[in-house]
Amino acid sequence: MARRQIGIGVIGMGWMGYVHSRSYRHVSDRFFDEGVDPVLVLCADADSKRAEAAQARFGFRKSTTDWRALIDDPDVEVIDITAPNGMHLEIVRAAAAAGKHVACEKPVGRFPEETIAAADAVKEAGVCSFVGYNYRWPPVVQYAREIIAAGNIGTITHYHGRFLNGYAGNPHAFLSWRFEEEHGLGTLGDLMSHAIDMAHLIAGGIESLVAERETFIKERPVPDPNATSHYAVGSADSDTGPVTNEDYVSSIVRFENGAPGFLESCRVINGAKCDMSFEVYGTKGAIKWNMERMNEIDVHYRDDENPAEDGYKTLLSGPAHPFHGSFNPAWGLNLGYEDTKVIEAKEFLTSVRDGAPREPSIEAARAVALVQQAIIRSWKSRSWEDVGGEK
Ligand SMILES: NC(=O)c1ccc[n+]([C@@H]2O[C@H](COP(=O)([O-])OP(=O)(O)OC[C@H]3O[C@@H](n4cnc5c(N)ncnc54)[C@H](O)[C@@H]3O)[C@@H](O)[C@H]2O)c1
């Protein structure tokens, strides 16, 4: 099979820009048989030093401070957006209008309406798209999806999903764009978008819900202009300003298949580090998974014949599970967070190769956005709301 070269442009060379660039470099190795070879053509960052450093580090042919140069470059076939959320819609629209395929980090838009507008632009242009819902990709999560589809745990009775993370738990962390409503949603846009997507993957579409929110840390130090990272911290005597979006969101949901569920996210949690997890219960069994132990999954099949042994068993990720064998041939030799991004890049590039959508395309982000809209309506109405109801 002839190998297919795909020209890549990455916009925003911060944390995710590095992770995405590195992931593209790994695709032709880890997934050699797919026959796709990403070519790192051009990277952009508003800060020229960051752009140049990324060019040197990853071997991009060129770098620029003007993201529009990527749209105009005939060698760039794929626009990968790892810039701040406020820029995503404008870039997606420009890329799609130019016929470029689009990979975009979650939550796509600052607000659900922007995500929906971005999905509309991609749909109209007919280009391929992909969204960074990388928690789908641990091999044991993909395996969970397979055994649920095969009916091994029976009919789903209920679902718990959450993303509890303490990245903003320090009350002296600067009042960056992440904490200001004018720049977008708080935890609902950031962490909860992953939890909603996971619920869609594991338990299906959500029909209706009722939701809560809270802001636990109400004031934060106004930013030092030199601090751009959301991990940067001020001092106890810094001037402070109000946090205007939510630290915490929870929602009781009803899935389209009739199952009830509960979703919860918090960015200032104590204790949990990356408790991106789910528990799914069925008429014949149950499954539990947590990103903090991403290579393990607890599976239970009800055994009334042998009640003394009737409990969860822990499976370790191994080559019998999807994708694991592309990284190593052994059970219990673990994959890491960035490997999920390599799988994500491979899935996207094979979608581009085939000219056919693969999940999670930007339509998965549209589905998440419709749930987020219902959550926001419920915050205001204090009552149950239908997903996909009034826009
Ligand atoms: N899927 C995940 O696990 C995950 C994790 C972290 C972040 N994210 C998402 O990735 C995106 C980026 O987050 P991050 O943590 O990498 O942010 P970051 O702040 O580390 O990086 C953003 C970069 O964009 C650059 N930038 C700003 N304005 C620009 C412009 N006009 N043109 C080009 N570059 C510009 C900044 O200089 C910076 O280098 C966000 O949408 C975030 O929600 C996803």
Side-chain angles (χ1 to χ4, degrees), residues 11-17 20 44-47 50 64-67 81-85 87-88 91 105-108 132-135 177-178 189-190 194 228-230 337 341 344:
I11 301 175
M13 303 315 295
W15 177 22
M16 277 303 113
H20 285 221
D45 199 287
D47 177 337
R50 283 179 179 237
T64 177
T65 54
D66 174 14
W67 62 265
I81 305 165
T82 52
N85 301 342
M87 299 177 60
H88 291 188
I91 301 173
E105 263 303 342
K106 44 56 63 178
V108 184
Y133 294 134
N134 42 273
Y135 298 101
W177 58 270
R178 287 179 177 273
D190 187 18
H194 282 297
T228 51
S229 158
H230 55 267
Y337 167 78
K341 286 294 194 186
E344 178 178 292

Side-chain angles (χ1 to χ4, degrees), residues 85-88 107-112 114-115 181-186 189:
N85 301 342
M87 299 177 60
H88 291 188
V108 184
R110 291 173 302 164
F111 302 100
E114 287 192 357
T115 303
E181 192 176 27
E182 64 183 292
H183 296 298
L185 295 170

Side-chain angles (χ1 to χ4, degrees), residues 133 136 192-202 360 364-365 368:
Y133 294 134
R136 287 179 171 229
M192 191 69 150
S193 62
H194 282 297
I196 296 169
D197 180 67
M198 186 65 90
H200 286 160
L201 181 81
I202 298 295
V368 170

Side-chain angles (χ1 to χ4, degrees), residues 341-358:
K341 286 294 194 186
V342 178
I343 297 167
E344 178 178 292
K346 184 280 275 191
E347 288 288 304
F348 175 47
L349 293 180
T350 48
S351 156
V352 170
R353 176 198 66 195
D354 300 341
R358 279 180 181 237

Side-chain angles (χ1 to χ4, degrees), residues 84-204:
N85 301 342
M87 299 177 60
H88 291 188
L89 175 59
E90 186 184 9
I91 301 173
V92 170
R93 279 183 167 150
K100 311 265 171 169
H101 306 295
V102 180
C104 187
E105 263 303 342
K106 44 56 63 178
V108 184
R110 291 173 302 164
F111 302 100
E113 294 70 25
E114 287 192 357
T115 303
I116 291 167
D120 288 344
V122 166
K123 191 173 180 183
E124 192 180 325
V127 294
C128 295
S129 62
F130 222 71
V131 178
Y133 294 134
N134 42 273
Y135 298 101
R136 287 179 171 229
W137 300 119
V140 291
V141 171
Q142 288 292 312
Y143 182 64
R145 188 187 196 190
E146 285 181 7
I147 58 181
I148 292 167
N152 294 12
I153 65 164
T155 303
I156 291 177
T157 55
H158 56 294
Y159 178 91
H160 285 186
R162 62 184 170 268
F163 197 162
L164 306 179
N165 190 304
Y167 76 78
N170 187 332
H172 303 308
F174 282 123
L175 187 64
S176 71
W177 58 270
R178 287 179 177 273
F179 303 107
E180 296 181 316
E181 192 176 27
E182 64 183 292
H183 296 298
L185 295 170
T187 296
L188 176 58
D190 187 18
L191 303 177
M192 191 69 150
S193 62
H194 282 297
I196 296 169
D197 180 67
M198 186 65 90
H200 286 160
L201 181 81
I202 298 295

